[in-house]
């Protein structure tokens, strides 16, 4: 993607999409392949300047601004010319596995780089990853890349597809490559358990789990499956994508990231899905379902009856964007729908 983030003065509005990981969460932290979908539900920010020298406000509160680690790491990296008043509206439940932190960080970083006169999108990808990573302490660029690029992406040391950018890893690990895959145009259903998860805690737990003798083999198997997933998506082969999702789910259970509420939701969609799996860190959070064609709403109802919150979603083609705010009502975000 070669487009630039345009220059933007205050006040401004930015938008960034959420994400669902289709294959390879956790393994991607170790450089293995993951496939991620940017979702047509995301986060909208409205930002204006404040007079004086204060630390700025988040949804009207100075304390909330100070307590938001993603806000703080972003502002530290790219200090704005004056204190900011930040208003956030998000369709993404927090700690749901749907990339709310990444969408917030990428949306804010787009605004900060816009205020600095604009930037290449690759710079936005790097800066969003750094700010999220610094706030979280662990993790890969999978979530922020989806928020920045939109569409369907592969991420990892190999990353098949049309290359977008490369992001450095620490500890001598290979860099993450990020590439674009085609969007088959399908409708997906996400089911949120309502149980918030803490990504950093689950990622650290998995870090311990893969030190077991079978850990490296499991990571290799996830990598190989995600690479097959890239081929299946390129071929638009719905049955193969679903089969690989089910197989990836078994691997995620072996990694130890399931939760009784995730198991309930998985059972509820069994008969209506081509494929279903945990999406994101797990330990709570959400599942993603590829429904049998025409069964999207029935899948949503099944998730609802099992006590989850369903979202019927498609891939968002566009990544993070910024535009000046000229007053009057703003156009709403790109609109994820609750089933
Ligand atoms: C979280 O959305 C995905 C994980 O793989 C962590 C990461 O890649 O940063 C669990």
């Amino acid at each position: 993607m070669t487009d630039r983030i345009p220059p933007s003065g205050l006040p401004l509005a930015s938008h960034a999409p959420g994400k669902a990981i289709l294959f390879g969460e956790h393994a991607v932290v170790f450089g293995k392949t993951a496939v991620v979908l940017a979702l047509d539900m995301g986060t909208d920010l409205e930002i204006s300047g404040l007079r004086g020298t204060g630390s700025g406000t988040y949804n009207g509160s100075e304390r909330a601004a100070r307590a938001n680690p993603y806000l703080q790491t972003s502002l530290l990296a790219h200090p704005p010319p004056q204190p900011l008043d930040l208003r956030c509206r998000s369709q993404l439940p927090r700690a749901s596995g749907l990339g709310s932190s990444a969408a917030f960080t990428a949306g804010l970083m787009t605004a900060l780089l816009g205020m600095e006169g604009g930037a290449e999108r690759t710079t936005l990808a790097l800066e969003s990853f750094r700010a999220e990573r610094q706030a979280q302490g662990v993790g890969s660029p999978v979530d922020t890349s989806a928020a920045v690029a939109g569409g369907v992406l592969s991420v990892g040391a190999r990353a098949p597809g049309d290359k977008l950018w490369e992001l450095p890893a620490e500890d001598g690990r290979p860099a993450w490559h990020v590439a674009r895959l085609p969007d088959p145009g399908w409708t997906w259903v996400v089911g949120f358990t309502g149980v918030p998860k803490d990504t950093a805690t689950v990622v650290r737990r998995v870090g311990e789990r893969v030190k077991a003798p079978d850990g490296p083999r499991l990571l290799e198997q996830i990598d190989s499956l995600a690479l097959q997933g890239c081929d299946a998506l390129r071929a638009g082969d719905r049955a193969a994508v679903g089969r690989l999702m089910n197989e990836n789910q078994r691997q995620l259970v072996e990694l130890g990231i399931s939760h009784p509420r995730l198991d309930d939701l998985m059972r509820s969609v069994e008969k209506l899905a081509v494929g279903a799996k945990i999406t994101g860190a797990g330990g709570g959070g959400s599942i993603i379902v590829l429904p049998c064609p025409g069964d999207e709403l029935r899948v949503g109802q099944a998730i609802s009856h099992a006590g989850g919150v369903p979202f019927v979603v498609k891939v968002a083609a566009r990544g993070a964007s910024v535009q000046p705010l000229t007053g009057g009502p703003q156009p709403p975000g790109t609109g994820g729908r609750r089933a």
Side-chain angles (χ1 to χ4, degrees):
M1 190 185 279
T2 54
D3 66 326
R4 281 182 64 83
I5 305 307
S8 183
L10 293 169
L12 58 78
S14 74
H15 174 82
K19 66 94 201 4
I21 296 179
L22 199 52
F23 303 112
E25 46 272 273
H26 288 289
V28 68
V29 174
F30 302 89
K32 307 302 179 199
T33 312
V35 176
V36 61
L37 315 174
L39 300 182
D40 63 350
M41 51 193 291
T43 295
D44 290 290
L45 296 178
E46 286 187 8
I47 304 179
S48 49
L50 292 171
R51 291 218 178 88
T53 54
S55 57
T57 53
Y58 179 50
N59 290 335
S61 156
E62 276 189 35
R63 185 197 290 206
R66 281 194 300 272
N68 183 324
Y70 304 95
L71 178 54
Q72 291 307 322
T73 54
S74 301
L75 293 181
L76 205 63
H78 292 273
Q82 66 193 103
L84 301 178
D85 174 47
L86 221 99
R87 305 274 157 174
C88 176
R89 276 179 303 141
S90 186
Q91 299 156 322
L92 305 165
R94 283 181 58 194
S96 61
L98 303 179
S100 63
S101 315
F104 176 86
T105 308
L108 175 57
M109 195 56 78
T110 313
L112 294 171
L113 293 178
M115 278 181 246
E116 286 180 2
E120 295 294 334
R121 198 162 281 269
T122 50
T123 306
L124 174 63
L126 177 63
E127 294 300 297
S128 302
F129 168 48
R130 279 189 176 146
E132 192 201 38
R133 165 88 195 215
Q134 207 187 337
Q136 238 167 38
V138 291
S140 81
V142 70
D143 294 11
T144 46
S145 292
V148 168
V152 181
L153 306 177
S154 70
V155 180
R158 284 187 271 182
D162 297 332
K163 182 173 175 180
L164 290 177
W165 48 68
E166 189 181 319
L167 299 166
E170 291 160 0
D171 312 331
R173 287 187 187 149
W176 283 284
H177 294 253
V178 179
R180 191 174 291 292
L181 293 168
D183 171 17
W186 300 330
T187 299
W188 309 81
V189 183
V190 165
F192 175 39
T193 55
V195 178
K197 49 85 214 172
D198 177 44
T199 300
T201 305
V202 187
V203 167
R204 290 199 176 95
R205 220 168 59 209
V206 169
E208 291 305 311
R209 164 70 184 86
V210 298
K211 286 181 188 157
D214 67 338
R217 173 193 55 83
L218 189 49
L219 292 178
E220 285 307 325
Q221 286 173 347
I222 294 175
D223 188 50
S224 149
L225 181 136
L227 290 168
Q228 291 174 56
C230 294
D231 290 342
L233 278 168
R234 283 164 144 170
D237 187 339
R238 191 177 181 111
V241 170
R243 180 177 52 73
L244 292 165
M245 288 170 72
N246 294 335
E247 180 58 29
N248 193 201
Q249 169 63 12
R250 283 187 279 277
Q251 295 166 330
L252 294 175
V253 169
E254 257 196 85
L255 272 186
I257 66 158
S258 202
H259 181 280
R261 298 293 298 120
L262 286 167
D263 298 340
D264 290 345
L265 296 194
M266 287 293 299
R267 264 193 304 276
S268 77
V269 301
E270 226 165 48
K271 295 201 168 66
L272 300 165
V274 181
K277 63 180 279 288
I278 297 165
T279 188
S286 301
I287 64 167
I288 179 161
V289 184
L290 179 57
C292 298
D295 273 342
E296 291 80 8
L297 290 180
R298 290 214 297 157
V299 167
Q301 280 161 358
I303 288 170
S304 208
H305 285 149
V309 183
F311 300 93
V312 178
V313 293
K314 286 180 95 72
V315 167
R318 281 186 73 202
S321 59
V322 61
Q323 61 185 53
L325 253 181
T326 48
Q330 288 304 300
T334 45
R337 293 157 304 285
R338 268 200 39 194

